[in-house]
Amino acid sequence: MVARTRTMASSTLALLRLAAAALLLLVAGHAHAAMGIRVDVIRLPSASSPPFPAAFREAPAFRNGDECPPAGSPDGRVDVAMTLDANYLRGTMAAVFSILQHTSCPESVAFHFLALRRGGGDGAANNNDDPLAAIRATFPYLDPSVYRFDPSRVRGRISQSVRHALDQPLNYARIYLADTLPADVRRVIYLDSDVVVVDDVRKLWSVDLEGHVVAAPEYCHANFTKYFTDAFWSDAELRDTFRGRRPCYFNTGVMVMDVAKWRLGGYTRRVEEWMAVQKQKRIYHLGSLPPFLLVLAGDIKAVDHRWNQHGLGGDNMEGKCRSLHPGPISLLHWSGKGKPWLRLDSRKPCTVDYLWAPYDLYKAAATALEE
């Protein structure tokens, strides 16, 4: 068992029961408290919200179990990379919290954050409005690494997509992970900011890549052709890109990457080359995903689908509610337009959003739930 400085309900089953109870109360129209928690009122954040560090409550400290290596030891270290964007900070907080809560060796998880470079420099990490300052205030026992990503590196390569959020420079930072992380990081789990992990992240970390550069859940039943335009499929030379491969869709928001192999294979350059083709011929519509598919689809290590219960944010245009897919769940992913914190605050949540709520560290949301 993991020793923790504060006791919390960490069972996934308990969270699912809480979410179900909350939903039943909403459907029944009750406004009274259940188990001391009122779930019928979610407040909108104030337009004059306090700076980031003051906006989130401090998370409890999680300690390694007896079977874990000593804290700080490189043995058994799990490297997790995420972007750090002010617009998605609430999601990042929940993701980090969920990882620490459910892993047996939380002190062995090393977080690597990619944040935008400000004004051509490293930015002021201690400013009250800086996301990194919020991370450090909320998780004071963590020692995260932060890397400043220069947006000019991709601005000339980005083509307009179906959703403005997909065109932001940080959405492309995952392409440059291998160029950014230090040499001693040879494998990394990359996660989007709209996920929560409800299983031990070490299970995903330990997957055998079997010589592949990337491991991720693969979805061969999806209509792969829709990720590219008619201009792509009508061009014989472009279409031949997939010759000899059985390309399947995979979501780049959850990936295990062999960083050393990515560097040796020049995969950053290969992805950039497809982005250059896109600028000339408009061969896809969806941000940073299609160039990854062009380079890697049909040549990745497939991981159990439980590690990316994706699409919970709905489609990229309307963000309509979607239900959970059948089967076991280790990671919930609100990919798509609808984000759970926005839908909860607007009092228009989807059923699945209540599975995210227990990890929300935003103070205003906690106050509304605890009344």
Side-chain angles (χ1 to χ4, degrees):
M1 296 293 294
V2 181
R4 296 186 174 101
T5 58
R6 301 180 191 175
T7 303
M8 295 192 64
S10 61
S11 166
T12 304
L13 180 59
L15 293 175
L16 292 172
R17 286 174 176 168
L18 175 61
L23 181 61
L24 287 172
L25 286 172
L26 284 172
V27 172
H30 292 299
H32 61 274
M35 298 173 62
I37 300 176
R38 194 173 80 188
V39 297
D40 61 314
V41 176
I42 304 287
R43 290 177 178 167
L44 280 167
S46 168
S48 57
S49 297
F52 290 146
F56 297 91
R57 65 185 189 276
E58 182 179 321
F62 299 92
R63 302 303 181 194
N64 279 356
D66 294 337
E67 78 280 11
C68 300
S73 169
D75 297 330
R77 188 183 74 189
V78 175
D79 291 293
V80 176
M82 304 178 71
T83 57
L84 194 56
D85 185 338
N87 295 318
Y88 291 87
L89 182 59
R90 194 164 160 190
T92 302
M93 293 289 194
V96 172
F97 187 25
S98 71
I99 292 169
L100 296 173
Q101 181 175 348
H102 289 285
T103 183
S104 299
C105 301
E107 293 178 281
S108 300
V109 180
F111 288 94
H112 304 266
F113 292 110
L114 286 77
L116 282 181
R117 185 186 298 274
R118 297 183 176 184
D122 286 338
N126 293 323
N127 285 351
N128 283 340
D129 63 346
D130 186 67
L132 181 58
I135 291 285
R136 287 174 170 158
T138 303
F139 303 98
Y141 47 86
L142 288 183
D143 185 22
S145 300
V146 62
Y147 313 90
R148 295 294 177 176
F149 180 71
D150 188 350
S152 65
R153 188 165 188 179
V154 292
R155 278 207 178 109
R157 307 179 193 275
I158 296 175
S159 300
Q160 186 176 10
S161 64
V162 297
R163 210 173 101 229
H164 179 66
L166 299 177
D167 302 337
Q168 301 310 301
L170 270 182
N171 192 45
Y172 290 80
R174 71 196 78 189
I175 298 170
Y176 302 93
L177 266 179
D179 305 334
T180 305
L181 296 172
D184 68 325
V185 176
R186 301 188 62 82
R187 171 184 289 216
V188 69
I189 297 174
Y190 175 83
L191 297 175
D192 276 349
S193 296
D194 51 1
V195 309
V196 292
V197 179
V198 293
D199 201 346
D200 194 332
V201 73
R202 295 186 305 161
K203 297 177 183 177
L204 180 59
W205 171 260
S206 63
V207 63
D208 184 357
L209 270 73
E210 299 179 354
H212 295 284
V213 68
V214 163
E218 195 175 47
Y219 302 89
C220 293
H221 64 277
N223 182 3
F224 190 79
T225 60
K226 72 177 183 179
Y227 293 99
F228 302 96
T229 64
D230 291 341
F232 175 85
W233 294 114
S234 62
D235 187 312
E237 184 178 355
L238 294 177
R239 195 171 61 242
D240 280 351
T241 300
F242 296 114
R243 183 182 296 276
R245 289 191 270 165
R246 183 178 176 240
C248 297
Y249 164 76
F250 68 94
N251 184 285
T252 56
V254 180
M255 297 186 291
V256 182
M257 179 186 292
D258 185 325
V259 179
K261 192 176 291 292
W262 182 282
R263 292 173 182 141
L264 288 173
Y267 282 87
T268 296
R269 175 185 52 79
R270 292 164 66 179
V271 173
E272 286 181 337
E273 286 173 352
W274 279 113
M275 293 167 68
V277 174
Q278 162 73 353
K279 294 287 284 188
Q280 297 174 354
K281 298 186 178 182
R282 188 69 178 176
I283 58 175
Y284 55 78
H285 297 302
L286 276 178
S288 64
L289 169 64
F292 266 91
L293 296 178
L294 286 160
V295 174
L296 291 165
D299 191 23
I300 69 168
K301 168 61 179 178
V303 176
D304 194 291
H305 289 173
R306 69 187 303 152
W307 284 104
N308 196 351
Q309 178 87 203
H310 71 289
L312 302 184
D315 59 49
N316 279 298
M317 300 298 291
E318 297 180 0
K320 293 181 179 178
C321 293
R322 290 184 180 174
S323 301
L324 294 175
H325 312 299
I329 300 171
S330 293
L331 183 147
L332 296 155
H333 186 185
W334 277 261
S335 57
K337 183 178 181 180
K339 302 308 174 188
W341 55 92
L342 297 178
R343 294 195 296 214
L344 286 164
D345 286 346
S346 67
R347 303 186 189 182
K348 297 178 180 179
C350 296
T351 304
V352 295
D353 297 340
Y354 292 103
L355 301 177
W356 180 89
Y359 303 98
D360 188 9
L361 294 172
Y362 188 64
K363 284 182 178 178
T367 300
L369 284 170
E370 290 170 0
E371 286 182 342

